[in-house]
Amino acid sequence: YYSDSQIDYSLTQLWRPYVGFGIRQRQFILAITTTYLGAGFFTGIDYQLTEKLHLNGEIRYDQYQGSDEETTATMMNILFGLGYHF
């Protein structure tokens, strides 16, 4: 950010990509309740609209293991959003 008596301006990165890794837990309640635990990978990008607002897009891929070795689940999500920096 720069300011003097005549000019105010700030530099902002327009595109902000990111990647991440997480441990997640899911619980499915159908005829019986099953709990899954697993690792997930995500990647996304933020696009700066204004000084305070940004658009967001993210892809998540999670692979879960159930209570026994034969029970597995895979989940992929595509997410879009609008963020506000405060």
Side-chain angles (χ1 to χ4, degrees), residues 28 34-37 64-74:
F28 297 100
T34 307
T35 301
Y36 291 84
L37 180 66
Y64 299 100
Q65 180 70 44
S67 56
D68 60 33
E69 291 183 16
E70 295 178 12
T71 308
T72 61
T74 301

Side-chain angles (χ1 to χ4, degrees), residues 18-80:
Y18 58 90
V19 296
F21 176 80
I23 303 295
R24 304 191 202 286
Q25 179 182 357
R26 294 288 185 259
Q27 187 173 36
F28 297 100
I29 301 172
L30 300 167
I32 59 172
T33 301
T34 307
T35 301
Y36 291 84
L37 180 66
F41 173 79
F42 58 91
T43 185
I45 193 162
D46 291 341
Y47 177 77
Q48 198 71 34
L49 294 172
T50 67
E51 183 179 343
K52 299 259 184 205
L53 288 174
H54 70 275
L55 289 176
N56 174 264
E58 183 174 293
I59 297 174
R60 292 182 183 176
Y61 179 82
D62 301 318
Q63 191 165 14
Y64 299 100
Q65 180 70 44
S67 56
D68 60 33
E69 291 183 16
E70 295 178 12
T71 308
T72 61
T74 301
M75 185 181 297
M76 184 171 151
N77 295 313
I78 299 173
L79 307 167
F80 295 99

